[in-house]
Amino acid sequence: MFDQVTMRLNAEPLIRSALREDITSEDVSTNSVMPEPRLGEVDLICKQDGVLCGMQVFARVFTLLDESTQITTFARDGEEIKAGQRIAVVRGDIRVLLSGERTALNYLQRMSGVATYTRSVSSLLAGTKTKLLDTRKTTPNNRIFEKYAVRTGGGNNHRYNLSDGVMLKDNHIGAAGGVAQAVRMAREYAPFVRKIEVETENLDMVREALEAGADIIMLDNMSHEEMAQAMALIDGRAEVEVSGNVTRENIARLTDLGVDYISSGALTHSAPILDLSLKNLHPVE
């Protein structure tokens, strides 16, 4: 759950922007059929098994439109939910329920989808020391929501953005003139509290990263044999991350390597939504 400061400073402006995207001047359909305020209720129904995530954001959509809107919930983020289950009841001005419906569901379906997919992947690492990480391959302006969903699903967050840590990828290394030069320049420039991670594509780069004193070495798109050789070469002198087209279907092939981290962009860029719906809207006397 987002704390109060994070919600107000970082999440709410994005939610407001999403609402403005959907209502540029007025909700013509709603104002046509409901010209005056009227109290009503609508049920939030799960239509597909999965992991719930985003109820705080779902609720905030409606309370931003009308702070008197009431949301009664019957499940919490991180819980497994079943098709047909009633997740919540939203009570308030029918005009608010209609106008906020799509935006609220978009957040909830997307976040629950990411949490559900992450749970299915993270379960494949059970019993190992390896932590599952997300990446920065997130939907623009939705990173705060998608990375929260990864945590809810049992994964871990890699750096949040470019200010969080030093990751020297192939183009950084090329710009600097080599691995050693890139690491040296990062040590001189970056705050001492920042770890330095180096992306490597072959064993020669692994050796260079080790000699340069990298804190974390990423093995990117290497064969299983190369990664095993790299692990023997590193031998605990740096933390190790594996990356490169990791999905639910192929992550099991990496579990025997004993790496510290496996990162997967698929957690956020390829997770399908979880099907949820607002149903049974009716007036309340």
Side-chain angles (χ1 to χ4, degrees), residues 37-154:
R38 187 172 185 184
L39 187 63
E41 286 185 349
V42 66
D43 295 328
L44 175 62
I45 304 296
C46 177
K47 301 174 69 177
Q48 182 182 5
D49 294 356
V51 177
L52 183 65
C53 181
M55 285 302 298
Q56 183 185 20
V57 178
F58 171 86
R60 194 66 183 125
V61 169
F62 294 107
T63 56
L64 279 174
L65 293 174
D66 183 351
E67 62 182 15
S68 68
T69 308
Q70 299 176 345
I71 298 91
T72 303
T73 59
F74 309 116
R76 296 184 298 175
D77 284 4
E79 290 185 5
E80 294 188 1
I81 53 178
K82 301 295 183 182
Q85 183 175 344
R86 187 169 69 151
I87 306 302
V89 174
V90 186
R91 182 185 178 99
D93 183 350
I94 289 178
R95 298 173 304 169
V96 167
L97 305 186
L98 290 168
S99 295
E101 175 181 359
R102 185 70 269 153
T103 299
L105 285 175
N106 282 350
Y107 277 119
L108 192 63
Q109 289 180 314
R110 177 68 182 142
M111 294 174 72
S112 296
V114 170
T116 299
Y117 184 76
T118 301
R119 179 75 56 85
S120 71
V121 179
S122 64
S123 65
L124 299 175
L125 296 178
T128 73
K129 74 166 190 174
T130 305
K131 292 183 178 180
L132 178 67
L133 304 179
D134 58 18
T135 71
R136 286 170 41 247
K137 295 177 182 177
T138 52
T139 309
N141 287 330
N142 276 280
R143 183 171 296 173
I144 190 172
F145 307 113
E146 292 175 356
K147 280 187 170 281
Y148 168 76
V150 167
R151 295 198 308 273
T152 300

Side-chain angles (χ1 to χ4, degrees), residues 17 61 101 107 126-127 150 228 237 275 277-278 285:
S17 179
V61 169
E101 175 181 359
Y107 277 119
V150 167
R237 289 181 286 171
D275 197 3
S277 182
L278 284 171
E285 299 303 329

